Amino acid sequence: MPPSRKNTGSLNSSSRLEMAMARPGTATLRDNAIGSPENGKLTPVMLNHAAWVTHDVESTAAFYTKIMGMELASTIYDDKVPSTGDSFPYFHIFFRMQDGSTIAFFEAPGLPDRPESTHPAYEVFDHLALQAADRGDVDRWLAWLRENDIEVIGPIDHKGFVYSIYFHDPNGIRLEITTPLDPEWNRHTEQGEIDLAKWCGTKKKAQAEGRDVAEALLELIREERKRYGHS
């Protein structure tokens, strides 16, 4: 367990978060949607699949099997959506990774193109990160993708957190191949709760004072990023 998780006693995640958000300058827990009751320790076991629409399942299948090395796992045909009853005929296809998790696509005849994004940040922040074995594996992915004429950004060391490269699939989905540099990268719960409380509290404080929220959050970001010791 990382040092930041010590001395928490028997406090559960919600209790620690409530304490963090009760500090001066932060929002209270009950003011946020975060303050829902404990769910009885129900936590998903793994990622089953993440799904997107494709307008070209043939090129999508070629990319994920031949470039990404995934197994074609399953396919489904239907003339309506079972969960909603919508009459959207479709072909559904799944590609499997090493741990059994999958990425999936729907091709539905007659769908119009997806509308343009309202801001370029959506196209940067929205992405799917796939884990590689280690840093050397990320570099091998970089060479393989470039060998196949795929434009790649990186490699990038994210402040000692993860090491990543970025590229796009035939549908324009931004993909990341990454490996953790911090062995506890997904175990910094206590610091995460403190940071979440600061972010939410800063927003609410700015709104209450009639300040520009984006400006207040930028000030918070610039102050907090000093902990990384470099830009």
Side-chain angles (χ1 to χ4, degrees):
M1 305 288 279
S4 62
R5 290 172 63 89
K6 292 180 180 177
N7 300 323
T8 56
S10 60
L11 290 177
N12 59 27
S13 180
S14 292
S15 298
R16 292 197 302 271
L17 181 56
E18 187 167 8
M19 289 174 63
M21 298 189 80
R23 292 172 185 148
T26 63
T28 61
L29 183 64
R30 66 186 56 187
D31 290 335
N32 292 272
I34 308 162
S36 57
E38 287 290 319
N39 72 348
K41 303 303 181 185
L42 286 171
T43 301
V45 174
M46 61 175 279
L47 175 66
N48 182 284
H49 69 278
W52 285 267
V53 168
T54 180
H55 290 281
D56 186 350
V57 74
E58 184 175 5
S59 63
T60 297
F63 177 83
Y64 281 97
T65 57
K66 296 179 180 179
I67 300 297
M68 300 304 295
M70 298 182 191
E71 190 86 10
L72 198 167
S74 296
T75 52
I76 298 171
Y77 288 97
D78 209 338
D79 61 358
K80 65 173 65 173
V81 181
S83 60
T84 66
D86 287 309
S87 297
F88 303 153
Y90 65 85
F91 177 64
H92 198 14
I93 190 166
F94 299 77
F95 304 98
R96 186 177 63 250
M97 289 173 270
Q98 292 185 37
D99 72 343
S101 59
T102 67
I103 180 170
F105 292 88
F106 294 90
E107 182 168 342
L111 280 190
D113 289 340
R114 193 182 297 273
E116 290 289 328
S117 173
T118 57
H119 192 285
Y122 289 107
E123 297 172 3
V124 173
F125 293 144
D126 290 347
H127 70 284
L128 177 66
L130 309 174
Q131 185 158 317
D134 52 35
R135 188 171 182 139
D137 207 23
V138 174
D139 291 337
R140 284 187 287 275
W141 273 104
L142 173 63
W144 167 247
L145 292 167
R146 286 181 173 165
E147 182 182 327
N148 284 274
D149 299 320
I150 294 171
E151 186 176 345
V152 184
I153 296 174
I156 298 169
D157 180 333
H158 290 280
K159 299 177 171 62
F161 188 64
V162 295
Y163 179 76
S164 305
I165 59 173
Y166 299 87
F167 54 102
H168 292 84
D169 84 344
N171 307 288
I173 297 169
R174 192 174 199 232
L175 299 176
E176 174 183 357
I177 297 287
T178 188
T179 193
L181 298 177
D182 174 2
E184 301 291 339
W185 74 277
N186 59 354
R187 290 288 185 270
H188 299 301
T189 304
E190 185 171 330
Q191 184 61 55
E193 289 164 352
I194 292 169
D195 288 340
L196 175 60
K198 284 181 180 178
W199 184 269
C200 296
T202 298
K203 285 173 64 177
K204 287 186 175 293
K205 188 171 185 289
Q207 290 167 343
E209 295 174 350
R211 290 188 60 202
D212 183 274
V213 173
E215 182 180 295
L217 291 172
L218 180 56
E219 290 176 4
L220 173 66
I221 290 167
R222 287 175 171 165
E223 180 61 32
E224 291 300 321
R225 72 194 297 270
K226 293 176 183 176
R227 73 174 114 164
Y228 305 121
H230 54 82
S231 299

